[in-house]
Amino acid sequence: MEQNLPSLSGVDWSPDAPPPTVTPAVLTVDLMALQENYRTLRKMAAPAECAGVVKGDAYGTGLAPAARALWAAGCRVFFVAVPAEGHTLRLTLPEAVIYVLGGLLPGAARDYAALDLRPVLGSPEEIAEWAALCREEGRHLPAALHVDTGINRLGLTPKQVEWLTANPRDLGDMRVSLIVSHLACADEPNNEMNRIQTETFDTLRNLLPPAPASIANSPGTLNGPAYHYDLVRPGIALYGGNPFAGRANPMKPVTYLYGTILQVRSIPCGASVGYGATWRARRDSRIAVIGAGYRDGYFRSLSGRSDRSEEHTQVYIAGQFAPVVGRVSMDMITVDITDLPGDTVRRGTKAELIGNHVTVDDVARWAGTIPYEVLTSLGSRYARLYSAYEEN
């Protein structure tokens, strides 16, 4: 591998992705760092159990390889968003406990049961469908109950929880294996909403059948024992993203994205670069063209402009930073390498787009978004390399 790629033992590429020799961009996933992040979070949460959220193709890193690495690190409970993800995960980890955060899709109860998926039930209609299946099959099928404590998305309202308390037969023969809620402002530790939600959660779960409780996402896990309950559900922190803006990131980077320089060209002062001629050289300049663009999840909002006053989007090449100039296009970005030594950058040189020097949090800040969106937008044209990971 090129010298500026991370040193990872036992690297192999995904059979579902193109090999590194035929694509201009390479996405490397450090599964050992993923495992280390899981162990760090598990230690923070103890004695609560630490689950793994692998929705969104494990935040863009690849559901199957990420899940296998987490399982090898000791994770036994997983959360997906939709049953299709649960199907893939079940084929990967036959013995895992799998919860579907998006609830029970209408008419799909038998499909969930066939895959041993546990729906996170958040409405009376979902509860009725799951209870009916339990009754028809004579089974005590496990499911989670989702109570809404203020985020106002999915979940049972306080009035609906009170109704269940007065009508416990509505739960039928199902086994309530978990009671969950979701924090709206956990990334703001001092936000009053966190206290309100945990107090509401305590009130509502005490009205329901006894079961383990869970409310903490990644920032909730890092916010301390008051949010841990019996099980925490970290997502972005597992994959190296910072759950908090303006605070040092305690997690190790997991994702490394490198683009290949396709061409280096010299342009005179005043020449424009890219669509719309939005960037013009203020001096004679050297421009490197890199083979990655918005089709690959490198957002158009990362484009560079001559009159841009805020911090510039940058890449890291040959030990130095270089600013992105001109518009990000579908397949290419252009960077100004005038200040880099002329013999260090040439056709074929790798440029770090995400990694140790240009973090996923940096890219999110420059794009005006969050690291969740950056990771889950990573495209399918990359060669995907996966490091070896530690087995139990």
Side-chain angles (χ1 to χ4, degrees), residues 100-274:
V100 181
L101 288 164
L104 180 63
L105 294 178
R110 289 189 189 281
D111 297 320
Y112 283 62
L115 291 168
D116 191 19
L117 303 180
R118 301 185 182 188
V120 180
L121 305 172
S123 72
E125 293 82 5
E126 291 177 357
I127 290 172
E129 285 193 33
W130 196 248
L133 180 65
C134 291
R135 183 173 60 253
E136 291 167 13
E137 298 198 354
R139 299 167 63 191
H140 300 286
L141 295 168
L145 293 181
H146 186 173
V147 298
D148 178 36
T149 55
I151 197 170
N152 284 310
R153 299 188 309 179
L154 300 178
L156 297 162
T157 67
K159 286 190 176 182
Q160 290 169 337
V161 172
E162 291 172 3
W163 170 262
L164 272 180
T165 302
N167 298 273
R169 290 186 178 180
D170 285 6
L171 292 172
D173 293 328
M174 77 174 68
R175 177 168 67 86
V176 178
S177 56
L178 189 67
I179 298 172
V180 309
S181 192
H182 196 68
L183 294 167
C185 303
D187 57 336
E188 302 172 24
N190 296 322
N191 194 307
E192 182 69 4
M193 188 73 171
N194 296 318
R195 181 190 62 79
I196 293 171
Q197 283 196 266
T198 53
E199 289 180 356
T200 303
F201 187 50
D202 289 339
T203 298
L204 296 179
R205 71 188 184 92
N206 287 333
L207 298 175
L208 294 168
S214 175
I215 197 172
N217 50 10
S218 287
T221 303
L222 272 64
N223 280 342
Y227 302 96
H228 292 166
Y229 290 89
D230 301 295
L231 180 142
V232 298
R233 317 186 304 267
I236 190 65
L238 286 172
Y239 307 99
N242 192 347
F244 303 105
R247 184 192 292 188
N249 189 356
M251 314 314 297
K252 287 188 172 295
V254 171
T255 302
Y256 298 82
L257 176 60
Y258 289 85
T260 301
I261 293 178
L262 305 177
Q263 188 178 108
V264 176
R265 57 193 305 120
S266 297
I267 63 172
C269 179
S272 66
V273 173

Side-chain angles (χ1 to χ4, degrees), residues 1 13 18 26 33 138 140 144 157 162 184 202 247 261 275 281 292 295 302 306-307 309 346 351 363 367:
M1 298 176 69
W13 68 72
V26 177
H140 300 286
T157 67
E162 291 172 3
D202 289 339
R247 184 192 292 188
I261 293 178
Y275 286 120
R295 168 62 180 83
L302 293 166
S306 298
D307 59 354
S309 59
R346 60 180 64 88
V363 174

